[in-house]
Amino acid sequence: MYPTAEVRWFIRGTIPPEVDAWFRRGPGRVNKEPVRTDRYLQLRGSEGLNVKMREGLIEIKQRVGPVDVVRFHERVRGLVEQWRKWRFQLAGPDAARSETDAFSWVAVRKDRRLRTYRVTGEKEVVVLSDAEVPASGCELELTAVRMAGRAWWTVALEAFGDTSALRDNLFFTAQHVFHGDDTPAFKAADSRGYAAWLDVMAGQEDKGSWED
């Protein structure tokens, strides 16, 4: 079991240049991941449960505890959620393919970039400049997303480590990355996890309200 505390935003379109510049600024390593496609099980009306297949694994993610909207910066407000994850190896690629042929799975293409921070026992946020994988810290993610041929982008902070330290790891890292006059505006109305976003997208599709 892998616990996290997270805040995430989804915004329609491509990543704006000013957001890209904000993400790139400052010292530290930016990890550019290979583009991948994750397949999510569509669970209508469920914002607290997430099931996906990726790279030979199936991941189950369950929201735990209360959720609340937090003001991180004068232009940044988001929904903070705590999750726990389980990952299991699939029997093989043929098994994954047969499952994802069903209409209840949806493909989401992701082009992800990450910055990883270590949070010390003194609550100092340390920017990593090498391949270190800290035991306690937080990731800042900027991802271009495509689903059903439509472009979105998402920004997230995902804190990891001991359960008792998750919220501190998230908040201290948020203070580190959301500062200065060039911090982009992230609205509470755009803040949700993948499960809630997929539910919103499914509702729009049902109503025929997709925009080209």
Side-chain angles (χ1 to χ4, degrees), residues 39-44 51 99-107:
R39 290 171 171 81
Y40 288 83
L41 182 63
Q42 286 199 334
L43 301 169
R44 300 294 182 94
V51 180
E99 290 295 331
T100 55
D101 284 341
F103 70 92
S104 55
W105 294 86
V106 60

Side-chain angles (χ1 to χ4, degrees), residues 7-191:
V7 58
R8 180 178 294 277
W9 296 266
F10 283 95
I11 301 168
R12 181 70 185 273
T14 58
I15 298 172
E18 61 272 19
V19 174
D20 185 72
W22 163 78
F23 182 81
R24 290 176 179 273
R25 78 179 183 195
R29 169 174 55 92
V30 175
N31 179 23
K32 174 72 167 64
E33 295 189 341
V35 177
R36 73 174 197 242
T37 298
D38 293 348
R39 290 171 171 81
Y40 288 83
L41 182 63
Q42 286 199 334
L43 301 169
R44 300 294 182 94
S46 177
E47 298 184 359
L49 183 64
N50 196 352
V51 180
K52 74 177 179 183
M53 293 186 186
R54 55 161 293 195
E55 300 171 338
L57 300 172
I58 188 163
E59 180 179 286
I60 301 170
K61 191 172 177 181
Q62 180 188 38
R63 189 170 66 190
V64 294
V67 299
D68 54 337
V69 175
V70 174
R71 182 178 181 269
F72 297 102
H73 182 275
E74 62 183 5
R75 292 193 297 277
V76 180
R77 290 170 60 87
L79 183 70
V80 174
E81 303 172 299
Q82 288 193 224
W83 298 84
R84 51 191 176 190
K85 303 178 187 178
W86 296 265
R87 293 190 179 106
F88 305 95
Q89 189 76 39
L90 291 169
D94 291 338
R97 189 177 301 111
S98 65
E99 290 295 331
T100 55
D101 284 341
F103 70 92
S104 55
W105 294 86
V106 60
V108 179
R109 182 181 184 273
K110 301 177 181 179
D111 188 355
R112 302 175 80 225
R113 284 176 287 163
L114 300 170
R115 283 186 178 275
T116 304
Y117 303 88
R118 177 165 52 87
V119 181
T120 70
E122 291 73 35
K123 307 305 181 185
E124 180 186 2
V125 177
V126 179
V127 182
L128 300 186
S129 57
D130 53 27
E132 177 187 356
V133 180
S136 184
C138 190
E139 289 182 331
L140 173 65
E141 171 194 337
L142 177 61
T143 300
V145 176
R146 290 194 71 85
M147 193 186 87
R150 292 164 175 87
W152 289 74
W153 57 278
T154 178
V155 169
L157 283 170
E158 179 177 323
F160 54 89
D162 186 83
T163 302
S164 63
L166 289 176
R167 290 180 71 90
D168 280 351
N169 289 351
L170 181 70
F171 294 150
F172 280 101
T173 307
Q175 290 176 358
H176 182 86
V177 301
F178 297 134
H179 73 277
D181 294 337
D182 62 344
T183 297
F186 298 116
K187 302 176 183 178
D190 295 323
S191 184

